[in-house]
Amino acid sequence: MKQTPYYFYDLDLLHDTLNCLKSKIKGTDFKVHYAVKANNNGEILSTISRQGLGADCVSGGEIKWALDAGFAPEEIVFAGVGKTDEEIIYALENEVGMIHCESLQEIVVIDELAKERNTFAKIALRLNPNVNPLTHEKISTGLKENKFGLTSLEFEELIHLYPILNNVQIVGMHFHIGSQIHDMSVFVELCDRINELVPMFEEHIGPFQYLNVGGGLGIDYYEPNENPIPEFGSYFEVFKTCLDLPAGVPVHFELGRSIVGQCGSLHTKVLYIKKSEEKNFAVLDAGMTELLRPALYNAYHKMELLDAVTSEEMLYYDIVGPICESSDCFGKDILLPELKRGDIIAIQSCGAYAESMSLNYNGRDKVPSYMHSSKNLVPQEC
Ligand code: LLP
């Protein structure tokens, strides 16, 4: 019996998901970069790089992980609202494919750092399209009130400054409006905004050669077993139909959750059952330190009892972790077969934003991960 808690990854499902994704973009000018922030486990990264995807990184650390996992530097895009000078230098020295810029000052700094190194940076402008992604407010990124992207004021200034920035070439635009999006009309609206902005880019900046539309496709947290692979077909179809770009311009995507979300689960043991007049609590050995999403976003994750069910009775439980915070709760009034000390629960849809967001709060150790594939079960180093 393995020591709990641990992350459990189904590499067969990851392969099926990647195969499905690749089949939907076959024969198009679409290129997918995996958003490393969703899950940076080394085995997951190298599985994805072997399948020919690029990587989307938001720090020097993520660029290093991506390079170590075998992603080609030219297939790496580097985004982020607060890149440090050291991170920019690291990206320049490693010749990453594209830097997505989010402020005028950042562009000026990249130009200076590139000049000092006698090099040249290809950049794309992250613009804020002010499109409501109809998702949780904490994972919306493309509204005016969000910190991401150049403001229109900065864009105006850039037009005047660009002729004297000799060590950057602005080749296109980058957008990201939010995450866990199910309503495809949101992406239609994004395409409409992009179609309006391309002529403006060509008029003021230069030839439009690169578009990156971010990620955002949602997964089914409620029925993960029934819907293990997200709606890649409808997602890509929107961009195929609605974008109106100059001929030959490639479209880049940065998908995180939709690629890895369903292939991982968090296995955790019931430490204690306690009952009050009002409710039953099941106290687990995993907490918000291993899966922060419920505490941070009130997110729902389906839970399943992994052991053989020993009682016919179904009971409602508040499923809580061991951390000294009331928000350390995976769900309230969750109906499960009667639980007992030692039972193992699988918290599903933990492939994205679980291990990569883990914390050592309360002196918690990083927990191990195990990979399952139809061939073998290999323990991973933490
Ligand atoms: N590109 C950019 C610029 C992003 O900001 C993000 C996610 C992605 C790509 C990947 O988006 P995805 O395909 O995974 O939706 N921790 C939150 C999610 C935060 C997403 C932030 N940006 C959660 O657990 O729901």
Side-chain angles (χ1 to χ4, degrees):
M1 171 77 95
K2 288 188 281 292
Q3 179 79 38
T4 52
Y6 57 88
Y7 300 102
F8 179 85
Y9 296 110
D10 177 353
L11 292 184
D12 291 348
L13 178 56
L14 178 57
H15 276 287
D16 290 349
T17 308
L18 288 164
N19 285 336
C20 172
L21 174 135
K22 289 196 320 188
S23 74
K24 304 293 179 197
I25 57 171
K26 207 167 168 202
T28 66
D29 277 337
F30 292 179
K31 170 85 200 174
V32 176
H33 301 257
Y34 166 63
V36 172
K37 64 174 83 66
N39 189 318
N40 54 29
N41 182 296
E43 185 67 30
I44 299 274
L45 289 183
S46 44
T47 301
I48 296 173
S49 85
R50 281 196 297 272
Q51 291 271 350
L53 271 65
D56 156 42
C57 300
V58 290
S59 68
E62 285 194 356
I63 296 175
K64 181 167 185 329
W65 289 332
L67 291 170
D68 289 349
F71 288 94
E74 64 275 16
E75 303 289 348
I76 294 179
V77 297
F78 180 28
V81 72
K83 303 174 188 78
T84 64
D85 292 17
E86 292 73 20
E87 289 175 318
I88 293 169
I89 293 167
Y90 186 69
L92 291 173
E93 285 176 348
N94 282 285
E95 299 180 353
V96 305
M98 190 70 63
I99 305 183
H100 296 161
C101 297
E102 305 215 15
S103 68
L104 187 57
Q105 280 194 345
E106 180 193 335
I107 298 172
V108 172
V109 168
I110 294 175
D111 184 63
E112 278 166 12
L113 293 173
K115 193 171 183 178
E116 280 165 26
R117 276 156 194 81
N118 216 2
T119 183
F120 189 75
K122 270 195 181 173
I123 66 174
L125 305 178
R126 180 166 181 180
L127 298 182
N128 190 323
N130 199 26
V131 170
N132 186 343
L134 307 178
T135 186
H136 192 285
E137 57 158 333
K138 288 197 175 152
I139 51 176
S140 296
T141 53
L143 285 170
K144 252 199 179 128
E145 69 210 46
N146 299 129
K147 66 180 175 182
F148 300 102
L150 258 84
T151 64
S152 30
L153 216 63
E154 288 192 305
F155 185 78
E156 296 286 313
E157 275 185 66
L158 175 66
I159 295 170
H160 300 294
L161 205 59
Y162 187 36
I164 59 161
L165 302 176
N166 295 319
N167 291 71
V168 291
Q169 186 193 2
I170 307 177
V171 294
M173 296 189 286
H174 169 227
F175 300 86
H176 184 272
I177 53 174
S179 196
Q180 184 54 12
I181 297 170
H182 282 291
D183 187 337
M184 293 299 133
S185 70
V186 160
F187 296 117
V188 174
E189 203 183 328
L190 173 63
C191 291
D192 291 346
R193 280 294 289 144
I194 294 171
N195 293 340
E196 282 166 22
L197 290 168
V198 170
M200 185 201 66
F201 182 98
E202 300 224 87
E203 186 186 341
H204 297 292
I205 303 287
F208 187 75
Q209 303 161 50
Y210 171 94
L211 175 66
N212 187 314
V213 293
L217 176 63
I219 61 169
D220 191 343
Y221 282 97
Y222 289 88
E223 302 291 352
N225 298 330
E226 288 72 7
N227 298 309
I229 299 183
E231 289 289 326
F232 292 121
S234 354
Y235 175 74
F236 289 120
E237 197 53 40
V238 169
F239 295 95
K240 276 183 207 164
T241 338
C242 302
L243 280 175
D244 182 16
L245 299 179
V249 173
V251 184
H252 297 252
F253 295 81
E254 303 167 339
L255 293 168
R257 187 193 316 266
S258 52
I259 294 177
V260 290
Q262 300 292 29
C263 78
S265 45
L266 173 62
H267 292 190
T268 165
K269 193 163 60 188
V270 176
L271 290 177
Y272 303 107
I273 301 292
K274 60 180 189 177
K275 296 177 189 268
S276 72
E277 287 75 24
E278 289 84 33
K279 53 175 75 208
N280 305 311
F281 291 97
V283 185
L284 308 183
D285 63 359
M288 62 193 283
T289 41
E290 288 71 46
L291 174 63
L292 188 57
R293 305 190 70 256
L296 201 56
Y297 317 118
N298 261 328
Y300 174 81
H301 283 255
K302 191 166 183 178
M303 286 174 259
E304 254 180 17
L305 181 58
L306 279 188
D307 301 300
V309 176
T310 51
S311 156
E312 294 279 289
E313 201 173 355
M314 299 290 284
L315 292 174
Y316 286 97
Y317 293 93
D318 280 13
I319 310 284
V320 301
I323 306 302
C324 299
E325 298 277 342
S326 295
S327 55
D328 184 28
C329 175
F330 292 127
K332 286 185 191 291
D333 296 322
I334 305 292
L335 190 62
L336 284 169
E338 186 175 11
L339 296 173
K340 58 182 190 318
R341 175 172 159 80
D343 280 345
I344 305 289
I345 287 180
I347 307 182
Q348 293 179 278
S349 313
C350 281
Y353 304 114
E355 185 170 3
S356 61
M357 291 176 74
S358 63
L359 311 167
N360 66 355
Y361 182 46
N362 278 200
R364 304 274 291 175
D365 288 332
K366 180 149 173 42
V367 310
S369 56
Y370 293 89
M371 302 287 150
H372 171 77
S373 83
S374 37
K375 293 192 199 80
N376 52 12
L377 185 64
V378 191
Q380 294 297 299
E381 291 293 320
C382 292

